[in-house]
Amino acid sequence: MAEKVTISVDALGGDNAPQVVLDGVAEALAEDGDLSVILCGPAEVVEPFAASHDRCVARATTEEISMAEHPANAVRKKKDSSIVVGCRLVKEGEAQGFFSAGSTGACLAAGTLVMGRIKGIARPALATLLPSPVKPVVLCDVGANADCKPEYLVQFAEMASIYANKILGIAEPRVGLLNIGEEEEKGSQFAQEAHQLLKEKVPNFAGNAEGRDVLGGEFDVIVCDGFTGNVCLKTIEGTAKMLFKQIKGIMMSSFKTKIGALMLKDGLKGLAASVDPDEAGGAPLLGVKGACIVGHGSSGARAIKNGVLASARYVRSGMTEEIAAIAK
């Protein structure tokens, strides 16, 4: 039997909330019998849903943090928002994890300010599983820290390696530093200093990873500052979306190509699934006291379901405890 886990969920998170959140939570509860959810949001949204679903409790909130608001300021001012309340439930022990597809900045701020950093962690970092058709690759940081010191990347590498081990089952993840060349002396002063520190302090460091290596399968974990990581992630996602759109257009352009598309249908579906960010459901904020998983703003019900289930897996994996152990 799986460990029983309670996850607080932001009912207002995402472009299509609250309906897709409700649908996704319902699917997650149906799939995981040991999962319980505390649904945070307006009373008229969360209370009827909780009343009709086992293992779901409503936590009514009166405020909402929009995408346009300054994240840290909003978190400090709107203490009864669904994001802040969801994180506070983790801090107070009513839940072990939090999931939202709302404002990424607000989730990162609430995760850090409300849930709190693990002692010894200089900066929590956002990690994601890259949509690679070769094998899963953990990219860290992808947006939590636009400005970094070289020593932060050492902790990013350590935390992301634990994630790759616990969630992906990789015994000794190979860590790469995202850079503009393979040689140690390549890149900015920041990149060179980070390379030296990673080489000295991270046993599984395997050298620099150029942009063309990111999805190639040579590395299991790739670390970088949050600005670079976010640009890299969005570029990959945008390129994948554009390519599939072009492929679809070509396949539907004539009777002959339509026949070919029919023959390739299963293979194309498998490829599309392998690069679909909705499969992962969300990105964890590594280094805070509990699971804090952030989903895409455009998440549909399937992505919400996967994000809630990913939050439960994170808790059950013991990630928080493992990171705390290496941070001492």
Side-chain angles (χ1 to χ4, degrees):
M1 180 182 293
E3 176 188 353
K4 292 186 180 299
V5 170
T6 299
I7 303 297
S8 57
V9 177
D10 172 18
L12 298 179
D15 302 337
N16 303 303
Q19 190 56 53
V20 295
V21 177
L22 302 182
D23 292 343
V25 168
E27 291 177 20
L29 288 168
E31 189 164 317
D32 187 341
D34 293 300
L35 169 70
S36 295
V37 167
I38 303 177
L39 194 60
C40 306
E44 64 271 20
V45 172
V46 301
E47 289 177 356
F49 181 88
S52 62
H53 290 80
D54 293 336
R55 293 177 282 113
C56 183
V57 175
R59 183 60 58 93
T61 60
T62 59
E63 296 177 302
E64 178 180 1
I65 297 177
S66 70
M67 296 289 190
E69 293 182 78
H70 186 281
N73 290 343
V75 165
R76 292 188 178 98
K77 291 178 180 178
K78 294 187 172 180
K79 299 190 182 299
D80 199 42
S81 63
S82 51
I83 290 176
V84 173
V85 170
C87 286
R88 190 162 64 238
L89 289 169
V90 179
K91 179 181 180 181
E92 294 173 352
E94 291 188 56
Q96 292 82 55
F98 169 69
F99 173 78
S100 174
S103 166
T104 299
C107 291
L108 300 182
T112 303
L113 298 174
V114 179
M115 291 172 62
R117 286 184 293 115
I118 292 172
K119 185 177 181 181
I121 295 298
R123 293 288 189 280
L126 197 61
T128 192
L129 291 178
L130 289 175
S132 168
V134 179
K135 69 173 186 177
V137 178
V138 181
L139 182 65
C140 182
D141 181 22
V142 293
N145 305 276
D147 298 302
C148 286
K149 295 180 180 179
E151 54 265 32
Y152 295 170
L153 268 63
V154 172
Q155 285 195 333
F156 295 174
E158 293 171 337
M159 294 191 295
S161 292
I162 294 173
Y163 183 69
N165 174 251
K166 291 290 184 179
I167 302 301
L168 300 179
I170 303 171
E172 296 182 359
R174 287 172 56 83
V175 175
L177 170 66
L178 189 57
N179 206 339
I180 61 171
E182 296 180 358
E183 299 82 7
E184 292 186 29
E185 65 276 7
K186 285 293 182 71
S188 63
Q189 186 64 35
F190 167 81
Q192 292 178 40
E193 292 179 14
H195 186 285
Q196 189 59 37
L197 286 174
L198 288 164
K199 184 178 178 181
E200 293 173 0
K201 298 185 177 183
V202 178
N204 48 329
F205 180 59
N208 287 335
E210 296 185 71
R212 63 190 178 192
D213 302 322
V214 171
L215 301 180
E218 182 180 350
F219 300 95
D220 302 302
V221 170
I222 296 177
V223 294
C224 55
D225 63 271
F227 181 91
T228 303
N230 191 270
V231 171
C232 179
L233 174 63
K234 297 293 176 57
T235 300
I236 291 170
E237 290 179 344
T239 301
K241 185 179 296 185
M242 182 272 294
L243 285 175
F244 273 100
K245 184 178 180 180
Q246 293 295 316
I247 290 171
K248 183 176 180 181
I250 292 170
M251 291 297 190
M252 296 295 105
S253 63
S254 70
F255 177 76
K256 184 185 294 186
T257 57
K258 287 178 182 178
I259 295 297
L262 186 62
M263 296 176 65
L264 293 171
K265 183 178 178 181
D266 291 341
L268 289 174
K269 277 187 176 180
L271 179 60
S274 72
V275 297
D276 185 357
D278 285 357
E279 286 295 315
L285 181 62
L286 306 178
V288 294
K289 296 176 180 177
C292 181
I293 310 295
V294 185
H296 279 272
S298 59
S299 292
R302 183 168 63 90
I304 298 293
K305 177 199 75 170
N306 288 335
V308 175
L309 294 176
S311 303
R313 283 196 300 274
Y314 188 103
V315 174
R316 291 176 177 136
S317 72
M319 279 284 303
T320 303
E321 295 76 12
E322 289 279 346
I323 291 174
I326 61 114
K328 290 180 180 179

